[in-house]
Amino acid sequence: MAQIISNAAVGRTLLILLLCAGVFFFIDFLVPALAALIVCFSSWPLYQKLMAKCGGRSALSASIALVLIIVGLITPLIFVFSYALQEIRAWVEWLVYANQHGAPVPLWIKDLPWIGEWLTLQWQQFIGEPHELGKIVSAISGQNLSGISRWVLQLGWNTLGLLLTLLFMLITLFFLYKDGESVAKQLDIVGERILPARWHRFSRVVPATVSSTVIGMTLIAIGEGIVLGIAYWIAGVPSAVAFGVLTAFMALVPGGAPTMFTLISLYLVGTGDMTAGVGLFLWGSIELFIVDKTLRPNLVGGPIKLPFLPTFFGLIGGVKTMGFVGLFVGPVLMALLIAIWREWLRDEPDNTLVTEPLESPREQGQSS
C-alpha cells in the first residue's frame, strides 16, 4: 500500500509548526531583540577594537561594552527624560485646569502677525470655554484629560515596563556581543546555501546600511536636540529641556526639527521678544543648513541613500507597530529592502544562475 503522506512532508509540516510555536511564545520579546540587534550592528566595529584590547576574551569585552553603554548612554538619557517628564507634567496640569475653568487668550497670540486674529477666535471657541478642550482631546486621542493626568501621575507602571524591556535588551545585547562572531559564521553558511550568487554582497551591504542609518539618525537627532535645546534656554523659552527632547524626537522625522524651532520662534515674537525670536530662527536655519549639507549625507544611509518617501513610511510604520523602537527599526527595514532590491537588480538576467560568489564593491574597485 502506497504511503499517502511522505516522510519529508511530515517533517516539513512539523518544522513549520515548531517555528510558528516559537514565534508565538517569543513575540513579546521581539522589540527588545530588534533593539539589541540594531545596537549590536551599530557598535560592532568599536566592539571589535575593544575585544582586541581584551585579548580576544569575548565574555570580558562584552561585559565592558555593556557597562560603557549603561554608563555613557542609558544613564544620561534617563536623567534627561526624567527632567523633561517633570516639565511635561506641568503642561498636563495646566491643560486639566484650562479644561475645567477655561483659559483667557494670551496676549502674544493676539499680537501674532497675519494669523493672530484667527488663532484668537479658535482659542476662545475651544480653550476659552470650560470642557471644550476635553472634547478635542477625546476626539483625537480617545482619552479625556483626567485620564491623561492620571496616566502622568501613575507613570510608574509604564516606567517599570520600559525598564523591563531595557533589561531584556541588555541581556540580549550581551550574548550578541559574546557570541556574535559564531552567529555570523552560521548565518554565512545558511545564506550561501540560500543565495549562493548574492550572499557575498548582501552580507556586506546590510551591516553597513544598518550601522550608518542608525548611527547617523541617532547622532543627528541628539545633536540637534542638544544644540537647539541650549538655544531655547538662551532665548528664555520655558521648559527648554522638554522642548529640546521633543526637538530631538522630531529631528528623526523629515521636517520635524525646523517645524519645532519655527513655532517656538513665533512664540517668542508673539510674546514681544523680537530679538530672541528672530535670533532663534536664524540660528536654527543655519544649523539645519550645515547638518543637511554636510553631516546628514555622510552619516545617514551609508551605501544606501534613503529617499524621502521610504524614510517617511519607515518612520510612521515603525512607530505605529513598535512604538519608540520603531523610529529606528522602520527606516532600517526600509533601507534593507532598498539594499536588497538594488543588489538584485545589479545582475543581468543571464547571470542569475551563477553560483560563484560575486566580488564585493571594495574588491571590484581594487580589481579595476
Side-chain angles (χ1 to χ4, degrees), residues 70-125:
I70 293 173
V71 174
L73 181 62
I74 295 178
T75 302
L77 288 178
I78 289 176
F79 281 115
V80 171
F81 282 124
S82 299
Y83 192 86
L85 284 175
Q86 293 178 3
E87 295 182 346
I88 293 175
R89 182 180 300 175
W91 300 355
V92 176
E93 291 175 355
W94 180 87
L95 289 174
V96 173
Y97 178 84
N99 181 58
Q100 293 176 351
H101 306 283
V105 183
L107 294 177
W108 65 270
I109 290 183
K110 296 180 180 179
D111 296 335
L112 283 176
W114 302 306
I115 60 173
E117 183 178 353
W118 179 81
L119 287 177
T120 299
L121 294 176
Q122 301 302 314
W123 184 289
Q124 291 174 346
Q125 179 180 357

Side-chain angles (χ1 to χ4, degrees), residues 344-362:
W344 206 272
L345 292 178
R346 287 185 60 170
D347 294 337
E348 296 180 0
D350 295 338
N351 298 332
T352 55
L353 299 178
V354 177
T355 58
E356 295 181 358
L358 297 178
E359 292 181 341
S360 65
R362 180 180 298 178

Side-chain angles (χ1 to χ4, degrees), residues 54-358:
C54 293
R57 291 174 289 183
S58 58
L60 177 61
S61 55
S63 302
I64 295 175
L66 216 61
V67 171
L68 292 175
I69 289 175
I70 293 173
V71 174
L73 181 62
I74 295 178
T75 302
L77 288 178
I78 289 176
F79 281 115
V80 171
F81 282 124
S82 299
Y83 192 86
L85 284 175
Q86 293 178 3
E87 295 182 346
I88 293 175
R89 182 180 300 175
W91 300 355
V92 176
E93 291 175 355
W94 180 87
L95 289 174
V96 173
Y97 178 84
N99 181 58
Q100 293 176 351
H101 306 283
V105 183
L107 294 177
W108 65 270
I109 290 183
K110 296 180 180 179
D111 296 335
L112 283 176
W114 302 306
I115 60 173
E117 183 178 353
W118 179 81
L119 287 177
T120 299
L121 294 176
Q122 301 302 314
W123 184 289
Q124 291 174 346
Q125 179 180 357
F126 297 108
I127 302 179
E129 298 295 330
H131 306 295
E132 290 297 325
L133 182 60
K135 297 178 181 178
I136 299 176
V137 174
S138 300
I140 295 176
S141 64
Q143 301 184 27
N144 53 49
L145 279 174
S146 60
I148 294 177
S149 65
R150 285 197 301 268
W151 175 82
V152 174
L153 295 176
Q154 299 175 358
L155 197 60
W157 289 108
N158 294 329
T159 304
L160 179 60
L162 181 61
L163 290 177
L164 287 176
T165 301
L166 183 62
L167 178 62
F168 291 141
M169 186 203 76
L170 292 175
I171 294 174
T172 306
L173 183 60
F174 173 80
F175 286 99
L176 287 176
Y177 280 147
K178 180 177 176 294
D179 304 321
E181 291 187 352
S182 61
V183 173
K185 292 178 182 179
Q186 296 174 19
L187 288 176
D188 282 336
I189 294 174
V190 176
E192 289 174 358
R193 291 176 181 175
I194 298 176
L195 299 171
R198 294 182 173 87
W199 181 256
H200 188 70
R201 286 207 302 263
F202 284 166
S203 62
R204 285 153 178 78
V205 171
V206 168
T209 301
V210 174
S211 178
S212 59
T213 300
V214 173
I215 291 178
M217 291 176 56
T218 304
L219 289 179
I220 290 174
I222 293 177
E224 290 192 354
I226 293 174
V227 171
L228 291 175
I230 294 174
Y232 298 156
W233 175 72
I234 295 175
V237 177
S239 304
V241 176
F243 279 119
V245 172
L246 186 59
T247 302
F249 279 110
M250 293 294 291
L252 296 170
V253 182
T259 301
M260 280 297 302
F261 70 73
T262 300
L263 292 176
I264 296 176
S265 299
L266 289 175
Y267 162 77
L268 292 173
V269 172
T271 54
D273 200 342
M274 179 69 70
T275 303
V278 174
L280 177 62
F281 182 78
L282 292 177
W283 172 253
S285 302
I286 294 172
E287 182 265 343
L288 185 67
F289 177 82
I290 294 174
V291 169
D292 286 343
K293 297 300 180 182
T294 59
L295 297 179
R296 193 181 298 274
N298 295 323
L299 289 177
V300 180
I304 303 299
K305 303 300 181 183
L306 277 179
F308 171 79
L309 196 58
T311 303
F312 181 76
F313 286 161
L315 288 168
I316 300 303
V319 172
K320 184 178 179 181
T321 54
M322 296 184 180
F324 171 72
V325 179
L327 285 172
F328 302 95
V329 176
V332 166
L333 290 179
M334 294 303 297
L336 293 181
L337 289 175
I338 292 178
I340 293 173
W341 177 257
R342 291 178 180 175
E343 288 296 324
W344 206 272
L345 292 178
R346 287 185 60 170
D347 294 337
E348 296 180 0
D350 295 338
N351 298 332
T352 55
L353 299 178
V354 177
T355 58
E356 295 181 358
L358 297 178

